[in-house]
Amino acid sequence: MMVSVVEMLEIEPDIVQVKMQDRTHRNAFSKELIHGLNQSFELIRAHPRYKTVILTGYDSYFSTGGTQEGLLGIQQGSIKFTDDNLYSLALDCPIPVIAAMQGHGIGGGFVMGLFADFVILSRESLYTTNFMKYGFTPGMGATYIVPQKLGFALAQELLMNAGNYRGAELEKRGIPYPVVPRNQVLPHALELARQLTEKPRHSLMTLKEHLVAPLREQLSKTIQQELEMHEKTFHHEDVKKRISELYGS
């Protein structure tokens, strides 16, 4: 079925794929993508049979994070990143979510993937938490989930330096996730999904609920802290200038 620019595909009876394919915005957080993701995960939550979700993008893009319009809205104070709760979609999903990041994961797009239960990266693709490149401190729970998933030392570098890292480089840095050629990301995810679906659905849900409970508890505190940092860093004119320059307008 098609849900906006997000496609839901039942690969096998127990496995559903959620594919982001907003080619106009390169899977940035457009209104269409946000709506499609929220609607897709609502449908998954209501489905009585699914055991595993594979979240992926198209071609060389997984997700490229905030749009220029969205970032300027936050800079001007008309919206907050919490208005669209994309960062916790995978975390709040009752069944396991595999982020098959076959393409570039930029800013909030990369962070969104890290909230999944399982993460698979592409050797060729770029991954970055580039918030500070725009002059504002990270949001979307990045200051918690990036250190939690990748380790403090690497996360501090990613968050403060805001550089671009190929999957192959992150693999050399010892990240605890599979990094495979782009054309093998989805097959790898499907094999993992099949292993998960061998287990009873109620047991998968029960164990996930237990494992992510501490993440959910800490996330709410982190989000509040990030919003407070945004009040200090996001509303400067320099940030507005950086956003316009980096988006080429």
Side-chain angles (χ1 to χ4, degrees):
M1 70 183 73
M2 286 297 297
V3 184
S4 184
V5 292
V6 178
E7 180 185 27
M8 281 183 61
L9 175 64
E10 188 176 292
I11 300 177
E12 294 178 4
D14 297 331
I15 303 171
V16 60
Q17 177 180 294
V18 176
K19 182 177 182 180
M20 300 176 285
Q21 48 184 10
D22 187 345
R23 295 174 182 270
T24 300
H25 300 94
R26 296 179 180 177
N27 278 353
F29 296 152
S30 64
K31 293 179 181 178
E32 295 83 2
L33 189 76
I34 292 169
H35 174 75
L37 283 172
N38 280 310
Q39 190 169 8
S40 295
F41 275 90
E42 286 177 10
L43 291 171
I44 290 167
R45 179 178 291 274
H47 199 285
R49 191 180 69 239
Y50 294 148
K51 293 183 179 181
T52 307
V53 181
I54 298 174
L55 176 64
T56 193
Y58 74 91
D59 297 345
S60 61
Y61 292 98
F62 177 71
S63 177
T64 56
T67 63
Q68 182 179 19
E69 177 185 10
L71 294 180
L72 288 175
I74 297 175
Q75 194 275 330
Q76 294 159 11
S78 60
I79 61 174
K80 297 178 180 180
F81 71 83
T82 49
D83 293 345
D84 299 305
N85 195 6
L86 289 180
Y87 51 88
S88 66
L89 281 178
L91 189 65
D92 290 338
C93 184
I95 59 175
V97 178
I98 302 168
M101 290 197 263
Q102 88 308 326
H104 308 312
I106 309 297
F110 184 38
V111 173
M112 179 177 67
L114 290 178
F115 275 103
D117 303 286
F118 301 90
V119 175
I120 305 168
L121 302 184
S122 156
R123 287 179 184 158
E124 304 94 321
S125 298
L126 290 172
Y127 303 99
T128 178
T129 52
N130 62 343
F131 304 91
M132 291 285 281
K133 188 175 182 180
Y134 294 88
F136 57 85
T137 48
M140 291 190 65
T143 57
Y144 176 66
I145 202 64
V146 180
Q148 184 74 18
K149 293 297 185 78
L150 301 183
F152 180 79
L154 178 58
Q156 186 174 38
E157 180 181 325
L158 283 164
L159 292 168
M160 297 193 77
N161 187 43
N164 296 329
Y165 297 76
R166 295 279 179 188
E169 183 177 356
L170 293 177
E171 183 180 29
K172 291 179 181 178
R173 297 289 295 272
I175 65 167
Y177 299 109
V179 182
V180 299
R182 179 174 291 142
N183 62 5
Q184 294 181 25
V185 171
L186 274 176
H188 192 96
L190 182 57
E191 177 60 29
L192 174 57
R194 286 171 175 158
Q195 293 171 8
L196 290 168
T197 57
E198 294 171 357
K199 286 74 178 177
R201 184 174 187 268
H202 66 273
S203 295
L204 287 170
M205 294 172 65
T206 301
L207 182 56
K208 172 169 179 172
E209 179 67 25
H210 171 73
L211 291 174
V212 303
L215 299 180
R216 290 174 178 161
E217 181 180 358
Q218 181 60 40
L219 179 61
S220 62
K221 300 175 185 177
T222 299
I223 293 301
Q224 184 57 43
Q225 292 167 345
E226 289 181 348
L227 288 172
E228 291 171 1
M229 288 193 291
H230 275 187
E231 286 299 313
K232 298 177 181 178
T233 65
F234 222 123
H235 306 306
H236 295 273
E237 280 300 311
D238 179 59
V239 171
K240 181 178 180 180
K241 180 181 178 182
R242 285 171 179 257
I243 292 171
S244 297
E245 289 177 348
L246 290 168
Y247 275 89
S249 63

